[in-house]
Amino acid sequence: QVQLVESGGGLVQAGGSLRLSCAASGGTFSKYHMSWFRQAPGKEREFVGRITWSDGSSYYADSVKGRFTISRDNAKNTVYLQMNSLKPEDTAVYYCAADLTVGGPVERGWTYWGQGTQVTVSS
């Protein structure tokens, strides 16, 4: 059983940057694929990106490609989401998720979830 705790959210102006962290405990972190999702008010949770455990390859939603970067530090049991050139439409609660298999860009593909961290981008 993996426990995930996100941090690093906050209020930032459009064009700014934030780095979110997701700390994992309770499992062999290096064997888990990790992902980020987000949920804006009144909208469904949407996929942001994911990183594999095996080769560290990453994949992103078109809406964030070129602006967001996912990385992981297996020694620290932590995955990061670096967000640059933020836009007001990036405002959402951001969640990290984990699974032993690559879950794809859908919620049901990921087993373990954090509680989320709020990101607000002002215009």
Side-chain angles (χ1 to χ4, degrees):
Q1 185 92 10
V2 175
Q3 291 81 47
L4 304 172
V5 179
E6 302 95 336
S7 62
L11 174 64
V12 63
Q13 288 188 332
S17 299
L18 275 178
R19 188 178 78 158
L20 306 184
S21 300
C22 173
S25 61
T28 304
F29 176 76
S30 61
K31 296 297 187 182
Y32 284 84
H33 306 287
M34 303 296 296
S35 65
W36 287 93
F37 284 73
R38 66 185 182 185
Q39 188 166 20
K43 295 187 177 181
E44 294 186 352
R45 195 169 297 188
E46 67 170 350
F47 174 79
V48 173
R50 62 103 172 114
I51 186 166
T52 62
W53 74 263
S54 50
D55 60 3
S57 61
S58 55
Y59 175 81
Y60 300 93
D62 288 343
S63 58
V64 305
K65 198 174 296 182
R67 299 188 297 123
F68 290 11
T69 303
I70 299 174
S71 61
R72 64 188 297 160
D73 185 337
N74 289 338
K76 295 183 177 180
N77 288 356
T78 300
V79 64
Y80 303 98
L81 178 65
Q82 177 67 46
M83 305 185 294
N84 299 327
S85 302
L86 283 162
K87 305 175 182 179
E89 51 263 44
D90 294 319
T91 295
V93 177
Y94 283 71
Y95 300 88
C96 67
D99 208 287
L100 290 172
T101 59
V102 180
V106 291
E107 275 189 83
R108 65 179 181 272
W110 300 86
T111 302
Y112 304 103
W113 291 83
Q115 83 291 345
T117 186
Q118 176 71 47
V119 172
T120 303
V121 184
S122 63
S123 58

